[in-house]
Amino acid sequence: MSFSDMDRQKSDNESAAAADVVVLVNRNGAVNAGNHLLDVNHSTASSPLDNRVIGLKENLVLAFKTLGVVFGGLVTSPLYVYPSMPLKSPTEDDYLGIYSIMFWTLSLIGVVKYASIALKADDQGEGGTFALYSLLCRHINIGIHTSKQMESNSSLLSTNPFGESDRQSRLGKFFERSLVSRRVLLFVAILGMSMLIGDGILTPAISVLSAMDGIRAPFPSVSKTWVEALSAFTLILLFLLQRFGTSRVSFLFSPIMGAWTLFTPMVGIYSIIKHYPSIFKAISPHYLFSYFLRNGKEGWLALGGTVLCITGSEAMFADLGHFNRSSIQIAFLFAIYPSLVLTYAGQTAYLIRHPNDHDDGFYKFIPSAVYWPLFAIATLAAIVASQSLISATFSVIKQSVVLDYFPRVKVVHTSPSKEGEVYSPEVNFILMILCVAVILIFGDGKDIGNAFGVVVSMVMLITTILLTLVMIIIWRTPPILTALYFITFFVMEGVYVSAVFTKIPEGGWIPFAISFILAFIMFGWFYGRQRKIEYEVTHKIDLDRLNLLLSDPGVHRVPGLCFFYTNIQDGLSPILGHYIKNMKSLHKVTIFTTLRYLLVPKVAPHERIVVKKLGLKGMYRCIMQYGYADSLCLEGYDFVTQVTDVLRDHISNCPDEEALISSDDDEISDLEDAKLAGVVHVHGKTRFLMGKKCSWFDRIMLAFYEVLHSNCRPALPALCVPPPQRIEVGMLYEA
C-alpha cells in the first residue's frame, strides 16, 4: 500500500491534533494520524469471531474451550469463599442469608451485568476495562486521542441498540473541556488494568493454597507451614515452566475444568439431599434482607468474603477477544452458573448441619468415598486457574507495552500458531516473587481472601463506571435504563467495596499497593512519552528544512540503506537535524520509518507497510501499522526485504509526476545498491532537560519517566533488529 492511495485533509483542530500520534480507524477504514486524515481503502481491523457466521457445533466447541481459559478463577471460588468469611457462631438463618446473597450476586453481576450487557461493549471484538476506555476515546476527544471525533469500526457501534443520533452528549462535551476529568478517567482505566494484574498475583496464591489445604483434613498432623511451603513450591515450579508455553498441555485445561464443573455440583446435590433439601427457599430476597437486619455490622463485614463468589467474572469480559460472545454466554449460563449455584447450595446445606466447619467449608462437605479423586481434581483445577490468570497478565502487559502505557519489557511468543500465547521473563520473575511472598508472609487464607476481595470489588466497580459512560455517550441508552443499571450495580458493588475497605489493615492493602504502584508506573510512562511526542511535533523538520540541511556543501550522502525511526508522521523528528548537523552525512537511501499502533486487535498483512516518496532524491516515508494484539517483533520474516519490495512496487506503479528526480529504473537500481552496501537502523535516545518554566508536576513525572526509560529495554531490540545494525542518537529535549 502507498500514500498515493490515501486522501489527505487537515484536521478541524490543529492545536489539539498537534500532540496526537495515535492512529484511529473508523468504520469506513479512515486512519487518523497526527493532524492528517488518511483514507485507507480497506478496514485494518481483523474481524472478531462474532462477525463470522459460525454454527451451533462450533460455538459449543468454543464454549468447552472457555472452561479452561476464561472461567478458571470463577468456578474454583468455592475453595475459599466460606473460609474467607469472618463468621462467629453462625445460625441456620445466617447461612440461608449468606446463600441468598451469593445467589443474587451471581445472578445480577454474573448473568445480567457481564453475560447480558458488558459482553456487548466490545472494542473490535476485544473486552476489558481498557477496551471500554479506548471505545470512549473513539467518540470524544479525551485521553490519548485529541483528534477530531470519529466513528468506530466496532461491532458494538455498527448496531446501536437504541438507534439514537450521533449528536455529541453533554457528558461527552464535559470530558472534552475538562483536563482534570480526562486525566482522572485515564487513571481510572489504568487502575482497572492494574487491578487485573493484581488479580494475576492473588489468584495463584489463594487457589493453590486453598487446594493444598485439603491435605490437612485426612492428615491433621500436617502443619499449616508445610501446606504453605508445598503451595509455594508448586507455584515456583509453575512459573519456571512458563518459558515453555502452554501449547503442549493446554488441551488438558478444558477437560480438567470440565470435570471440576461437573463433579462439584454433583457433590452439592448429594449434600443438599442428605443435609438440607429445602435449601433453595433461600433464593427468596427475604432471607437476604433479614440477614442484614439481624446481624447489622457483622453481616456487612461478612461481605468481604461473600464477594469472592463472583471472583473471575471480569475474565468473561476481559478474555472476549480470545473467543466470541456466544460461546462465553453459553458456557456461563449453561455450565458455570448452574455449577456454582448447586455447589454453594451443597456447601451451605452441609454447614447448616455443621455450623462450625466454615473455616474448611469446602473439603469438609465432600463425602469420604470421593475425597481423594476430588482433591486431585481440585489441585489440578487450582493450577489451571492460576495458569489462566498468569497468561492473562502476560497478555495485558503485552497490550500495555504495544500501546505505550508500560515500559518496554521482553515479550516472547511461545507458540508459532497462537498469537495470544506470550511470555515475559521480567514479568514472570516479578509475579513469581510476589506470589510466593504473599503465601509465605500472609499464609492465612483469610488475609489473602481480604486482599482478593479488594481486587474483585474494585475491578467490578470500575467496569460499572466505564460501562455507564459508554451507555450515555455512545449507546445513547434511554436515561431511565441507564439510571436503573447504574444505581443497581453501583450501589451493590459500592456496598461490597465499603466492606472490603475495612479489611485493608488485614491484608487488603496488598492489592492497593501493587495496583497503585503499577498505575503510577503506567501513567508516568505514558505522560513522559506524550511530552516527548509533543516536543517532536512542535520542533519537527519539514521537507524544506531537510532540503536546506542537505544543501550544505559539508554534508555528504554516504552509501547504504538507512531506516531512520521517527515518532511523528506529519514531518520529521528533530533528531534528524541534530544527526545531520553533527555527523555531516546521510545515507544515499533513507527511509523515515514510523511505527503506528492502531486501536484494533490486528492489522491485515497487506496493509501493514505503507510507503511514499518524499520528493527528495533517495528519501522515502514508511509507516508500519500494528494492532494491539499483533506481534511487535519483526523476527520470523525479513523486514528489510518486505519494505524494499513494497517500495519497489510503489516506485514502479506510482511515478512522481510533479518532479521527475530520476527515472524509475535508476531509483530501483539505487535502492538495490544501497541495500547491498549495508543496512543501518537509526533511532533517537532522548532525555528531558528541565527548564526554568517547568511546573512541579512535570518535574516529578518527567524525572520518574527518566528513571523508567533508563531501566527499560530499548525500542529497536523489541523489533528484533540485529545489534550491529543499530545506531542511537542522543539529544536533550527541553521540558
Side-chain angles (χ1 to χ4, degrees), residues 196 269 314 349 381 397:
L196 191 61
I269 293 171
E314 181 70 21
I397 292 292

Side-chain angles (χ1 to χ4, degrees), residues 235-237 239-240 427-437:
L235 284 177
I236 290 173
L237 186 62
F239 279 107
L240 291 178
V427 175
N428 186 67
F429 178 77
I430 294 172
L431 284 178
M432 181 180 71
I433 296 298
L434 291 176
C435 280
V436 173

Side-chain angles (χ1 to χ4, degrees), residues 92 144 393 408 464 506 510 545 623 668 685 718:
E92 176 181 333
I144 59 176
T393 302
R408 290 180 293 269
T464 293
E506 303 170 14
I510 304 171
R545 173 66 175 160
I623 294 181
I668 294 174
K685 188 174 181 64

